[in-house]
Amino acid sequence: MNEKANLILHPVRMRIIQAMIGKRRNTQQLQEWLPDIPQATLYRQLQKLVQAGILHVVEQKRVRGAIEKTYALAERGNELTQEELASFDSNDHIRYFMMFMAQLLGEFGDYAEQEPVDMARDGAGYRQVALYLSEAEWKQMAAEFSAAVVKHLSNEPAPDRRRYSLTTVLIPGRKTDSSPEQSSIPESGIRSQASTDRP
């Protein structure tokens, strides 16, 4: 098993990493960003990320007798390199995808346990759509999607803002699957009216 993949795919550590993208935060700021994570758990997982070189300490200062540390993501610290990905076999890829999906299921379970659940009101939904794209077309689509998301990554928590978890999964078909099965491409899944324009 790849140690870095195991670290990144842990549900709490994944949320810490997401909170650190493009930011420098101290522990107090991280607690404000992730108020549902117990302080002891946050400190323990931060330490693991630092030990693994995924986060590093960029500033230390004494505050009321204690040392306050400010953290930042190491360069490409939240990504697996091409070399690391190339070292995975089929079983590794399936195992890590299952870990990722388990975390996603946990998040959806937290949402679904709320009463009442109103997916249209909340803008919640999940869907699948088949697209036939050339390599240039899918790269263009990925760049456009990334630009739309990056525009809002710097948003801080606020009374009028709710945390949304946006997950992307791109699964290429087999290389021989190059001809449309139907003239109209079907889509499957459940989505609310409010999420119609969401990828």
Side-chain angles (χ1 to χ4, degrees):
M1 274 195 170
N2 182 280
E3 183 178 354
K4 186 175 180 181
N6 287 335
L7 280 162
I8 290 174
L9 289 173
H10 183 277
V12 174
R13 290 192 288 267
M14 184 179 289
R15 289 187 61 195
I16 293 172
I17 290 169
Q18 290 170 344
M20 294 299 302
I21 294 175
K23 298 288 184 181
R24 295 184 173 196
R25 300 187 194 274
N26 58 37
T27 48
Q28 181 179 346
Q29 291 168 329
L30 277 169
Q31 283 181 294
E32 292 171 356
W33 186 274
L34 305 167
D36 57 315
I37 298 177
Q39 185 182 65
T41 300
L42 181 66
Y43 277 64
R44 185 168 60 252
Q45 300 303 340
L46 275 171
Q47 186 64 27
K48 289 185 178 182
L49 289 169
V50 171
Q51 290 174 346
I54 294 172
L55 292 181
H56 60 262
V57 178
V58 294
E59 183 182 355
Q60 297 188 72
K61 62 181 180 181
R62 188 170 294 277
V63 178
R64 295 189 294 275
I67 299 297
E68 180 183 83
K69 297 179 180 180
T70 299
Y71 302 88
L73 269 178
E75 185 176 359
R76 304 185 72 86
N78 61 320
E79 301 176 12
L80 294 172
T81 66
Q82 291 299 320
E83 291 76 16
E84 288 169 323
L85 288 171
S87 70
F88 292 3
D89 61 21
S90 297
N91 289 330
D92 289 328
H93 282 294
I94 293 171
R95 184 182 304 115
Y96 292 127
F97 187 74
M98 289 175 64
M99 290 170 63
F100 179 77
M101 294 305 293
Q103 184 231 343
L104 184 62
L105 182 60
E107 285 195 35
F108 188 80
D110 286 341
Y111 164 72
E113 287 174 359
Q114 301 175 93
E115 294 294 343
V117 172
D118 187 334
M119 295 180 71
R121 176 200 63 201
D122 297 334
Y126 46 96
R127 67 186 296 187
Q128 184 179 62
V129 60
L131 301 172
Y132 287 87
L133 304 168
S134 67
E135 183 176 356
E137 288 168 338
W138 80 253
K139 285 183 176 180
Q140 180 183 354
M141 183 186 70
E144 292 169 348
F145 179 81
S146 178
V149 172
V150 167
K151 180 180 177 182
H152 300 285
L153 276 181
S154 61
N155 289 357
E156 296 286 343
D160 63 337
R161 285 179 176 155
R162 181 176 184 177
R163 178 180 177 269
Y164 289 85
S165 180
L166 177 64
T167 303
T168 59
V169 177
L170 182 65
I171 304 175
R174 293 182 179 273
K175 291 182 178 180
T176 55
D177 183 21
S178 59
S179 58
E181 297 175 1
Q182 302 176 5
S183 58
S184 175
I185 298 175
E187 57 179 63
S188 61
I190 298 174
R191 69 176 191 272
S192 68
Q193 188 63 36
S195 66
T196 299
D197 295 328
R198 297 174 184 270

